[in-house]
């Protein structure tokens, strides 16, 4: 119930929640966290110094902490069709957090109704049911979160290794093997859909050998990277772009007829 304990716990909770938002690739709710932090300080001052009341202060701190942990849970519950499906491990992390949030409200309800700790004071808080239940639940949720975080780390490392094996290190476009494999899957008979069909655009860098000979391979590498960035910005998320040779590139444009493909190729050339 001390200042240091509450501030440290709120700061740690905020960092933990921030990590969830970063992983979900969603904006960190800085304003909401700042508001909850300000409310926490105001209530702490009110029920510790202005109107000293251990029970009300405990209820207030628990509700503020529940609000912090509710932020990523609410973000997980909001469905956005534009975003990819939430991985199972992230859903499990959300369930652990949701359970943690529910326990805050249950314990607050029991305390407010007088079911537990009817005469709660600073002197007997450490030995109270609220304190004991908080330690037990926090430990269990921390252990559950730790297991989930280790699984997340393993999945992220595996995804990172797989991603590096699929892209060209200089341009971050697909490498030749991955481009050909994904292109074959995309145009296979079983994946055919009604539409305008797909178009393949092949391109290379004009006078690339002259650039290398005149300015050195470092300059040639810069040109390749520059072309890679242009191609990355040109293609849609549903298209494929790859570096298939030294200065050769390929684009597979989905649902794109010859005329549109020619326009795109001309735009790239000019």
């Amino acid at each position: 119930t001390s200042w240091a304990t509450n501030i440290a716990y709120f700061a740690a909770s905020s960092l933990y929640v921030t990590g969830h938002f970063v992983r979900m690739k969603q904006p960190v709710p800085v304003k909401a966290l700042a508001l909850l932090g300000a409310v926490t300080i105001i209530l702490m001052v009110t029920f510790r110094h202005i109107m000293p009341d251990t029970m009300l202060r405990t209820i207030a701190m628990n509700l503020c902490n529940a609000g912090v942990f509710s932020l990523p849970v609410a973000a997980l519950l909001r469905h956005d069709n534009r975003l990819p499906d939430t991985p199972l491990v992230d859903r499990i992390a959300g369930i652990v957090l949701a359970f943690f949030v529910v326990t805050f409200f249950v314990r607050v309800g029991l305390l407010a109704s007088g079911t537990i700790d009817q005469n709660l004071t600073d002197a007997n808080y450490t030995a109270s049911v609220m304190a004991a239940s908080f330690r037990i639940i926090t430990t269990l949720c921390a252990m559950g979160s730790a297991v989930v975080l280790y699984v997340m780390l393993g999945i992220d490392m595996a995804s990172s290794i797989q991603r590096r094996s699929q892209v060209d290190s200089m341009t971050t476009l697909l490498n030749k093997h991955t481009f050909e494999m994904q292109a074959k899957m995309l145009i296979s008979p079983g994946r055919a859909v009604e539409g305008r069909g797909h178009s393949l655009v092949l391109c290379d860098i004009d006078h690339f050998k002259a650039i290398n000979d005149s300015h050195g391979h470092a300059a040639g590498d810069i040109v390749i990277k520059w072309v890679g960035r242009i191609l990355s910005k040109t293609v849609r998320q549903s298209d494929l772009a790859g570096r298939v040779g030294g200065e050769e590139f390929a684009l597979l444009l989905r649902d794109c007829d010859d005329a549109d493909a020619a326009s795109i190729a001309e735009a790239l050339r000019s």
Side-chain angles (χ1 to χ4, degrees):
T1 59
S2 67
W3 268 103
T5 300
N6 282 284
I7 296 300
Y9 186 81
F10 184 88
S13 302
S14 298
L15 290 174
Y16 181 78
V17 164
T18 298
H20 271 276
F21 277 94
V22 171
R23 175 175 170 77
M24 292 186 292
K25 296 181 175 57
Q26 295 191 28
V28 178
V30 177
K31 292 183 179 180
L33 289 172
L35 177 61
L36 286 167
V39 171
T40 298
I41 293 174
I42 292 172
L43 293 176
M44 189 73 175
V45 170
T46 301
F47 295 123
R48 187 174 183 86
H49 301 289
I50 300 176
M51 300 167 49
D53 191 312
T54 304
M55 185 184 75
L56 290 179
R57 188 170 70 248
T58 301
I59 291 174
M61 294 303 99
N62 276 269
L63 291 177
C64 287
N65 286 319
V68 172
F69 287 109
S70 295
L71 294 174
V73 175
L76 282 169
L77 292 175
R78 287 196 300 269
H79 180 69
D80 190 339
N81 292 327
R82 296 170 298 177
L83 299 175
D85 291 337
T86 304
L88 176 61
V89 67
D90 291 80
R91 294 179 186 272
I92 294 174
I95 291 173
V96 173
L97 280 177
F99 170 77
F100 197 32
V101 170
V102 169
T103 63
F104 277 109
F105 289 108
V106 170
R107 291 164 54 251
V108 165
L110 293 174
L111 179 62
S113 65
T115 305
I116 59 173
D117 301 328
Q118 295 182 6
N119 298 308
L120 189 64
T121 64
D122 286 350
N124 64 18
Y125 179 81
T126 304
S128 67
V129 175
M130 280 293 289
S133 62
F134 177 74
R135 287 192 292 267
I136 293 172
I137 294 171
T138 300
T139 300
L140 292 175
C141 290
M143 292 172 62
S145 296
V147 172
V148 172
L149 289 174
Y150 273 115
V151 174
M152 285 180 176
L153 179 61
I155 292 174
D156 288 348
M157 290 178 64
S159 298
S160 177
I161 293 172
Q162 182 183 30
R163 175 63 180 167
R164 285 200 297 268
S165 70
Q166 294 177 337
V167 300
D168 172 64
S169 59
M170 189 176 296
T171 62
T172 69
L173 300 176
L174 297 176
N175 58 33
K176 180 179 180 181
H177 172 73
T178 304
F179 179 86
E180 291 177 347
M181 181 178 63
Q182 292 190 12
K184 288 178 181 178
M185 293 176 58
L186 193 61
I187 63 178
S188 63
R191 297 287 298 274
V193 295
E194 292 185 3
R196 297 182 296 168
H198 309 316
S199 295
L200 179 65
V201 177
L202 299 176
C203 53
D204 62 6
I205 302 174
D206 292 339
H207 312 299
F208 183 72
K209 185 178 183 303
I211 294 173
N212 275 337
D213 293 341
S214 302
H215 304 285
H217 290 283
D221 291 346
I222 292 174
V223 173
I224 289 175
K225 292 178 181 178
W226 179 68
V227 172
R229 285 197 295 269
I230 292 176
L231 294 178
S232 296
K233 294 178 180 179
T234 300
V235 299
R236 301 163 298 180
Q237 190 173 5
S238 59
D239 299 330
L240 299 180
R243 182 185 177 197
V244 296
E247 74 274 16
E248 292 88 26
F249 301 86
L251 304 176
L252 185 62
L253 309 175
R254 298 186 62 181
D255 193 25
C256 180
D257 58 25
D258 293 345
D260 285 343
S263 297
I264 293 173
E266 181 60 26
L268 288 172
R269 190 190 67 81
S270 58

